[in-house]
Amino acid sequence: MIVVLGLFLVVPILMALWVSLSDWNGQGSPFSSGVHFDGAGNYEQIVTEPGLAQSDFMTSLRNNAYYVLFVVPLQTALALGLALLVNGRRLKGKGFFRTAYYFPAVTSSVAISVVFLFIFSSSGVVNSLLAKIGVDGPAWFADPRGIIHLALGALGVNTDAPPAALADTTVGGLSLWDWISGPSVAMTAVIALVVWTTAGTFMLMFLAALQDIPLEVEEAAEIDGTGRWQRFRHVTLPMLKPTLFLVLTLGLIGTWQVFDQIYVMSKGAPAKTTLTPAFLSYQSSFTDNEWGQGSAIAFILFAIIVAMTLLQRFILRDKDEARAKAATRRAAKAARSGSGPTTGAA
């Protein structure tokens, strides 16, 4: 097993790391004498050096950040709600509903993406339903406007002439006005697709955790006179914390690595408002033959995912357990120094 993992996991990762530090153009072997060590040049070009590479990378980060901000909470809330629904004692046909909610997760993402292209077309189902209530639906996959900009415009802000403080201040090649644009109209259609397809998988995880909660615990809380919301908040949700952490972690990883839906539905268009780091890495490597930049984007994306996971773990940590471990460490340190237990440890 160690040999297999080393051959098919560790070695390719090390090879990709070398490519990110070299000037390889995809021709021949990346270890040939014609390939030179470039150090952090590829990373600097997409992160710190002004230019198209930096602008595209920062645009992809902005797009993906909004994508994560919307998809992860929505898919988690929907999955938990569906799990609570199908776990209800009085619900009939539980097997049917569990299968129906999970079915999108086992369907080809490419096939679903094609279907959603028709649903969100100018004459599709979504715009037809909006027309029935007097709303003119947008050209979903051709509209690059951000929904936050649209909301500000509805409140009277002139989006064609934004405040100078936002328009003239740039961060990473993008103005602050561009950073706060929100997901584009096109990206919202992708968000709807992904939430619908992933909620079923996470529903099963929550359902398994709900079924592991002893009935005696909920019955005792009910006897004590707690309401349904109080039982959910103070009994059910705390016992779902490990599963919640797993769902959020998998959600973060999946949303930062989104690729197939973008490739099928938009390829980064319109106006690069659906461009994501994963798709940009593919595009830089296989289309532009900038294999060093493509690999560098992949490793930066890996660092972002690790950092987000650690931050999430810190936020969702058990504070009482963390205090107990800290007190134990202080006591052990005091014992080694011979000064006896500290007040905090006591």
Side-chain angles (χ1 to χ4, degrees):
M1 182 58 67
I2 293 176
V3 173
V4 172
L5 289 177
L7 184 61
F8 294 103
L9 182 65
V10 178
V11 171
I13 290 175
L14 294 177
M15 292 175 64
L17 180 61
W18 161 250
V19 171
S20 73
L21 299 173
S22 70
D23 61 355
W24 186 53
N25 61 2
Q27 302 296 322
S29 170
F31 302 101
S32 63
S33 58
V35 179
H36 304 96
F37 179 72
D38 195 27
N42 291 315
Y43 293 90
E44 292 174 354
Q45 193 170 1
I46 61 179
V47 176
T48 61
E49 293 183 6
L52 182 61
Q54 184 199 47
S55 177
D56 286 348
F57 179 65
M58 292 302 174
T59 299
S60 70
L61 283 184
R62 178 202 64 184
N63 297 339
N64 216 142
Y66 281 118
Y67 177 84
V68 172
L69 184 64
F70 278 78
V71 170
V72 173
L74 288 175
Q75 71 183 7
T76 303
L78 179 59
L80 180 56
L82 292 176
L84 292 170
L85 179 64
V86 298
N87 193 51
R89 302 176 189 175
R90 301 178 182 178
L91 179 66
K92 297 181 180 179
K94 292 182 180 181
F96 168 77
F97 287 107
R98 292 173 185 174
T99 304
Y101 294 146
Y102 183 65
F103 186 74
V106 297
T107 307
S108 168
S109 61
V110 174
I112 293 178
S113 298
V114 173
V115 171
F116 264 68
L117 282 173
F118 288 102
I119 293 176
F120 282 91
S121 64
S122 298
S123 58
V125 175
V126 174
N127 281 356
S128 298
L129 293 176
L130 292 176
K132 292 183 180 298
I133 58 176
V135 177
D136 293 329
W140 290 91
F141 291 102
D143 196 335
R145 296 175 297 172
I147 61 174
I148 294 180
H149 283 179
L150 290 175
L152 292 175
L155 295 176
V157 177
N158 186 1
T159 56
D160 294 327
L166 297 177
D168 298 337
T169 304
T170 61
V171 177
L174 296 180
S175 68
L176 291 180
W177 179 249
D178 290 330
W179 279 106
I180 65 169
S181 64
S184 66
V185 174
M187 183 62 88
T188 57
V190 180
I191 290 172
L193 162 66
V194 173
V195 170
W196 181 70
T197 55
T198 56
T201 301
F202 297 137
M203 175 202 70
L204 291 184
M205 297 181 185
F206 279 124
L207 183 60
L210 286 171
Q211 293 177 345
D212 281 342
I213 298 177
L215 290 176
E216 294 80 3
V217 176
E218 294 187 357
E219 290 173 352
E222 188 173 358
I223 292 174
D224 288 340
T226 58
R228 181 176 299 178
W229 167 249
Q230 290 177 315
R231 289 198 302 274
F232 172 76
R233 180 181 177 185
H234 298 290
V235 177
T236 305
L237 197 57
M239 300 187 75
L240 291 178
K241 199 170 183 179
T243 305
L244 180 62
F245 174 75
L246 174 63
V247 168
L248 290 175
T249 300
L250 294 177
L252 279 173
I253 294 173
T255 49
W256 276 107
Q257 293 179 335
V258 60
F259 172 80
D260 45 352
Q261 293 88 354
I262 301 298
Y263 180 83
V264 174
M265 302 178 77
S266 64
K267 290 183 171 59
K272 300 180 180 179
T273 56
T274 60
L275 187 67
T276 62
F279 183 78
L280 181 61
S281 176
Y282 161 82
Q283 191 177 56
S284 298
S285 301
F286 290 91
T287 303
D288 302 332
N289 287 326
E290 297 287 349
W291 290 84
Q293 287 187 18
S295 298
I297 292 171
F299 278 97
I300 293 175
L301 186 59
F302 167 75
I304 291 173
I305 292 173
V306 172
M308 295 288 290
T309 303
L310 293 176
L311 177 62
Q312 173 190 303
R313 182 175 182 178
F314 175 77
I315 295 174
L316 294 178
R317 72 191 188 284
D318 189 325
K319 296 182 180 179
D320 293 334
E321 183 179 352
R323 293 193 190 98
K325 289 182 178 179
T328 302
R329 287 194 296 268
R330 288 196 297 269
K333 183 178 179 180
R336 287 194 299 268
S337 62
S339 58
T342 63
T343 303

